[in-house]
Amino acid sequence: EEETLSFIKESLEKSDQLTKNMVSILSSFESRLMKLENSIIPVHKQTENLQRLQENVEKTLSCLDHVISYYHVAKDTEKIIKEGPTGRLEEYLNCMDKIQKAVEYFQDNNPDSPELNRVKSLFERGKESLESEFRSLMTRYTKPVPPILILDLISGDDDMETQEEMSLEHLPESVLQDIIRISGWLVENGRNQDFMTVYFQIRSVQLDRSIKGLKDHFRKNSSSTGVPYSPAIQNKRKDTPTKKPIKRPGTIRKAQNLLKQYSQHGLDGKKGASNLIPMEGRDDVFDIEIDAYVHCVSAFVKLAQSEYQLLTEIVPEHHQKKTFDSLIQESLDNLIMEGDNIVSAARKAIIRHDYSAVLTIFPILKHLKQMKPEFDQVLQGTAAGTKNKLPGLITSMETTGAKALEEFADNIKNDPDKEYNMPKDGTVHELTSNAILFLQQLLDFQETAGAMLASQVLGDTYNIPLDPRDSHSTESPWHRDQLPVAIFFCRRLLSTYICKVLGNLQLNLLSKSKVYEDPALSAIFLHNNYNYILKSLEKSELIQLVAVTQKTAERSYRELIEQQIQTYQRSWLKVTDYILERNLPVFQPGVKLKDKERQMIKERFKGFNDGLEELCKIQKAWAIPDMEQRDKIRRAQKTIVKETYGAFLNRYGNVPFTKNPEKYIKYQVDQVGEMIEKLFDTSA
């Protein structure tokens, strides 16, 4: 045990010694680590600072190089800018981009630097050169479209599925790409829109010259015996037999023949009843001019469509429609003006009672109507004034054409009688009764009138037989099984004509109504006439005929009648306003009224009495021939006035506002009703 104990003690001593040695070693290691850390950390920080300084120096040098490069931009690019972009557009635009960046740098960092003025001047000069290059390219490569190509363009096959649609190449592809690049740069970097004005001016002249060239081509190559196509187009058509000639609305001579046929038999089937004179012996130049104009209209549509396609590639999207509107104005105005001249010539001939002269507008009118959907599509997005030009011309031609074949419709529209022969009592005007009588008589020969209207629209392309026995004629394309379609077509045209007469009549009546100084009498006048028209339509087949094209005509007239009744009722406001509760004194029962309040009540009674007497005296002389309408208006007005006056009288009738109540309370409620009951009755 002592030995074991001694062994343990020795072991512990050795362990303690080893522990002391380990502690000493660790302490020494820790001391050395601290010394090493104290030595390394300053070196590391110094190295880090040196690296940061090196990076700053490098960045500074880079910035200096970048800044210095701006001072050399003007010198490096001046020669290229002076020489212009012709032949090296991409290089030129790169230089312009460098100059623009230099301008932005000097403006932000050194606005007082003379270098800023230099690069600004260079930038403006470069921008002007780009604009000049744009103008030069547009001017140099914009050429009128040859008439042969235009005729080929507008004479394509109806079935476009079997034939690719022809397109025009207005500018060479390389030139087009340069123009697109210039326009894009001017918009994005130059913030310049002047080039759009240059564009539409140049293209507008080209469009107008193309159409005028087609017209001149027609005049030079036309013959009076056929369709004046150029030999080149005719030969080309021989080589391409799948193409069909352009649809033409028919020459004047064709329409003359149809009119001559009707003029020999008369408008109502009786020989000699028509005073329309065929245009025999008239110069064939009319045919040439009409055909030329018709083709110019088609050419305008096709060329305008092509122009818009080109424009969308060059002009920014939000400027396209406005620029296109300006581009087509001159050519469109010339077309409209020429159409107006044709209409004017026809009108002058009609003044000389040469009604057949109006046939000059028939083929044009037909063609314009055929082309109207394409016109609307082409002009989509343009200004309202631009869109309305073609409808305005069509309306003018329709009006002038109707004047020759439908003299009565013209008289209805232009009847100047406003101040004379106006019914003083506001009853139905003679013009209205004559118009309705005419339309009712027109029902006796609907097919004849419809065929005349069909010839006005379609020439003799569709010879609609009036007699079913004529459907087997070799000259008629209509067979017996197709006759219902033809008759319905005539019926629809006649319906359109009747609606036109009624529309003209309505406008004329509205104009005539303004002769009356009293708006209430004007309303009674319009009410009587509108009601007479509606009742007459309902009593005859006219209402069914009108409904072919205007299903809401009956409702529209009822609305017009109701509007005039409401206008008339407003004339009584100056009477009922006196006795309405607003602005009347509020008093407590048994409290003595003030002088001001008594005077106000007196004025209300007096105003009502005077207004009632005046209106009853005036309106008693007016007339409403329709008993049902007369009773309806009386009853409605009587209800309104009696209720208002009754409430007023009930409230103030027993108020001591005067010593002579009979002076102010002249009428009882029933008496007022009896007075209104005598309106529109001169015998009362």
Side-chain angles (χ1 to χ4, degrees):
E1 291 178 352
E2 287 179 357
E3 289 177 0
T4 302
L5 180 61
S6 176
F7 175 76
I8 292 173
K9 286 182 179 179
E10 289 177 1
S11 298
L12 287 173
E13 288 175 358
K14 289 181 181 180
S15 177
D16 290 340
Q17 185 65 36
L18 290 173
T19 300
K20 289 179 181 179
N21 291 339
M22 181 60 68
V23 170
S24 175
I25 292 171
L26 290 174
S27 298
S28 176
F29 184 70
E30 181 181 7
S31 174
R32 290 180 181 183
L33 281 176
M34 290 180 64
K35 289 180 181 179
L36 179 63
E37 183 179 356
N38 292 334
S39 300
I40 292 299
I41 287 177
V43 173
H44 174 72
K45 290 182 177 179
Q46 186 176 7
T47 303
E48 186 178 4
N49 290 335
L50 288 174
Q51 289 177 342
R52 188 179 298 111
L53 287 174
Q54 183 180 3
E55 290 176 359
N56 290 340
V57 169
E58 290 176 353
K59 289 182 179 178
T60 302
L61 290 174
S62 176
C63 290
L64 284 174
D65 291 338
H66 182 67
V67 170
I68 292 172
S69 67
Y70 288 129
Y71 286 85
H72 294 290
V73 165
K75 179 181 178 182
D76 294 341
T77 61
E78 187 172 12
K79 181 180 178 182
I80 296 176
I81 297 301
K82 285 183 178 180
E83 293 176 354
T86 304
R88 50 178 178 182
L89 181 61
E90 286 301 324
E91 181 183 4
Y92 192 88
L93 292 179
N94 290 334
C95 290
M96 289 297 294
D97 290 338
K98 292 179 181 178
I99 296 172
Q100 186 179 24
K101 291 178 181 178
V103 171
E104 293 172 354
Y105 169 79
F106 288 119
Q107 284 178 336
D108 294 338
N109 298 281
N110 195 359
D112 297 327
S113 170
E115 288 295 330
L116 175 60
N117 294 330
R118 185 178 180 187
V119 290
K120 264 189 174 181
S121 174
L122 197 60
F123 183 79
E124 291 300 322
R125 188 191 307 173
K127 189 165 66 172
E128 291 174 0
S129 296
L130 282 173
E131 294 173 3
S132 177
E133 178 70 5
F134 183 89
R135 179 188 293 274
S136 175
L137 290 174
M138 289 297 302
T139 304
R140 191 183 316 139
Y141 292 98
T142 295
K143 305 295 181 184
V145 181
I148 293 176
L149 291 181
I150 298 177
L151 285 172
D152 204 28
L153 183 67
I154 63 180
S155 61
D157 193 351
D158 293 336
D159 186 7
M160 299 307 297
E161 295 180 358
T162 59
Q163 175 183 348
E164 293 184 0
E165 187 174 358
M166 177 182 176
S167 60
L168 297 175
E169 185 183 78
H170 294 285
L171 298 169
E173 184 61 27
S174 59
V175 175
L176 176 61
Q177 293 304 319
D178 286 350
I179 291 175
I180 293 174
R181 286 284 288 123
I182 294 174
S183 67
W185 190 94
L186 289 174
V187 172
E188 295 176 9
N189 303 290
R191 295 175 178 82
N192 190 309
Q193 300 178 6
D194 293 342
F195 77 93
M196 299 180 200
T197 302
V198 173
Y199 177 84
F200 83 71
Q201 287 176 345
I202 294 175
R203 297 303 302 178
S204 176
V205 172
Q206 179 270 344
L207 177 61
D208 190 54
R209 288 174 61 190
S210 297
I211 296 176
K212 288 180 178 177
L214 176 64
K215 187 186 302 181
D216 294 339
H217 177 82
F218 257 83
R219 291 172 178 170
K220 293 177 182 178
N221 298 279
S222 297
S223 63
S224 60
T225 57
V227 181
Y229 290 110
S230 68
I233 289 296
Q234 292 171 348
N235 293 336
K236 189 168 185 178
R237 287 208 176 103
K238 292 177 181 178
D239 297 334
T240 55
T242 58
K243 290 188 177 182
K244 299 178 182 178
I246 182 175
K247 284 188 176 180
R248 301 174 63 248
T251 60
I252 304 171
R253 188 174 292 103
K254 291 181 178 180
Q256 291 171 13
N257 293 335
L258 185 59
L259 180 59
K260 182 178 179 180
Q261 172 186 348
Y262 281 108
S263 66
Q264 291 173 347
H265 294 87
L267 294 178
D268 59 354
K270 297 179 181 179
K271 187 175 182 179
S274 174
N275 62 348
L276 297 178
I277 305 171
M279 295 169 54
E280 293 179 352
R282 195 177 292 271
D283 196 337
D284 290 334
V285 73
F286 282 115
D287 281 347
I288 299 172
E289 292 296 327
I290 297 306
D291 281 331
Y293 185 75
V294 164
H295 283 77
C296 286
V297 170
S298 297
F300 172 81
V301 172
K302 294 297 184 182
L303 292 176
Q305 290 173 342
S306 182
E307 286 291 341
Y308 189 76
Q309 292 174 357
L310 177 65
L311 178 140
T312 55
E313 299 185 64
I314 298 175
V315 178
E317 183 177 359
H318 54 287
H319 292 287
Q320 288 173 1
K321 292 180 178 179
K322 183 179 179 181
T323 305
F324 179 69
D325 196 340
S326 302
L327 190 154
I328 63 173
Q329 281 301 316
E330 183 175 0
S331 299
L332 181 59
D333 286 342
N334 288 338
L335 279 178
I336 300 301
M337 181 178 66
E338 190 170 347
D340 288 336
N341 291 338
I342 293 173
V343 173
S344 178
R347 286 174 178 166
K348 291 178 181 178
I350 292 171
I351 293 176
R352 301 191 302 269
H353 304 291
D354 183 8
Y355 299 124
S356 59
V358 79
L359 292 173
T360 56
I361 71 170
F362 281 0
I364 296 177
L365 180 59
K366 177 190 172 183
H367 190 65
L368 289 178
K369 286 185 174 182
Q370 289 177 339
M371 297 298 296
K372 189 176 182 301
E374 293 188 58
F375 256 97
D376 293 340
Q377 185 178 5
V378 170
L379 301 182
Q380 186 178 7
T382 58
T386 303
K387 294 178 182 177
N388 293 333
K389 287 181 180 180
L390 179 66
L393 178 59
I394 290 177
T395 301
S396 177
M397 288 186 171
E398 287 175 336
T399 303
T400 305
K403 183 176 181 180
L405 298 180
E406 307 147 14
E407 187 68 32
F408 185 78
D410 183 71
N411 291 336
I412 292 296
K413 181 178 181 180
N414 299 310
D415 178 33
D417 186 9
K418 292 182 180 179
E419 299 182 2
Y420 302 100
N421 297 327
M422 288 293 291
K424 296 181 180 180
D425 56 0
T427 189
V428 178
H429 197 279
E430 182 181 4
L431 179 69
T432 304
S433 58
N434 288 341
I436 295 299
L437 179 61
F438 171 79
L439 293 179
Q440 290 173 339
Q441 292 173 341
L442 193 63
L443 293 173
D444 295 334
F445 42 92
Q446 296 181 38
E447 293 81 4
T448 303
M452 284 298 294
L453 293 171
S455 69
Q456 172 180 317
V457 177
L458 301 171
D460 69 346
T461 307
Y462 300 101
N463 182 18
I464 301 174
L466 303 182
D467 189 332
R469 292 172 295 182
D470 295 337
S471 62
H472 296 290
S473 171
T474 56
E475 298 179 358
S476 172
W478 297 99
H479 302 291
R480 187 178 297 274
D481 57 343
Q482 295 175 298
L483 211 54
V485 178
I487 293 175
F488 175 77
F489 181 70
C490 288
R491 184 178 176 84
R492 188 172 185 83
L493 288 175
L494 183 58
S495 173
T496 303
Y497 167 70
I498 292 175
C499 291
K500 175 183 175 183
V501 171
L502 293 175
N504 290 345
L505 177 60
Q506 182 178 330
L507 292 175
N508 202 328
L509 290 173
L510 187 62
S511 177
K512 290 181 185 299
S513 69
K514 297 178 182 178
V515 172
Y516 295 110
E517 297 180 359
D518 191 335
L521 180 56
S522 176
I524 291 296
F525 171 76
L526 290 175
H527 166 272
N528 286 332
N529 284 271
Y530 292 155
N531 184 65
Y532 179 82
I533 294 171
L534 178 59
K535 295 293 184 183
S536 301
L537 292 176
E538 291 176 336
K539 290 179 181 178
S540 65
E541 192 184 339
L542 282 173
I543 191 66
Q544 289 84 6
L545 197 55
V546 169
V548 173
T549 54
Q550 290 192 8
K551 299 185 183 300
T552 61
E554 184 175 356
R555 185 182 67 187
S556 299
Y557 272 111
R558 294 192 187 281
E559 291 175 353
L560 289 171
I561 292 170
E562 188 60 33
Q563 288 174 7
Q564 300 310 318
I565 292 176
Q566 293 175 4
T567 302
Y568 162 75
Q569 289 176 342
R570 285 196 288 271
S571 68
W572 281 83
L573 291 178
K574 62 182 180 181
V575 176
T576 56
D577 276 350
Y578 282 103
I579 56 177
L580 293 176
E581 290 188 12
R582 65 174 183 269
N583 300 327
L584 287 174
V586 179
F587 59 89
Q588 298 295 331
V591 178
K592 185 178 180 180
L593 294 176
K594 298 178 182 179
D595 292 341
K596 182 178 180 181
E597 294 173 339
R598 287 197 297 271
Q599 183 62 32
M600 182 179 294
I601 296 174
K602 290 178 183 179
E603 291 175 355
R604 300 295 178 176
F605 271 106
K606 186 177 186 305
F608 173 78
N609 294 333
D610 293 345
L612 177 66
E613 293 167 357
E614 180 185 0
L615 280 187
C616 288
K617 180 181 179 181
I618 294 174
Q619 296 185 6
K620 185 171 69 173
W622 298 352
I624 299 181
D626 189 319
M627 183 181 299
E628 181 182 349
Q629 287 291 315
R630 182 169 66 244
D631 292 342
K632 175 184 175 182
I633 293 175
R634 283 176 178 171
R635 188 165 53 252
Q637 199 59 50
K638 186 165 58 174
T639 300
I640 295 172
V641 178
K642 284 179 66 176
E643 288 179 356
T644 308
Y645 182 64
F648 177 78
L649 192 61
N650 183 55
R651 184 168 184 177
Y652 297 100
N654 297 322
V655 175
F657 65 91
T658 178
K659 296 179 180 179
N660 302 310
E662 66 278 356
K663 178 180 178 181
Y664 297 97
I665 308 177
K666 298 173 64 175
Y667 305 104
Q668 295 301 316
V669 175
D670 291 340
Q671 290 177 307
V672 171
E674 292 173 359
M675 294 175 68
I676 296 176
E677 193 65 33
K678 296 178 181 179
L679 297 178
F680 317 116
D681 187 358
T682 54
S683 62

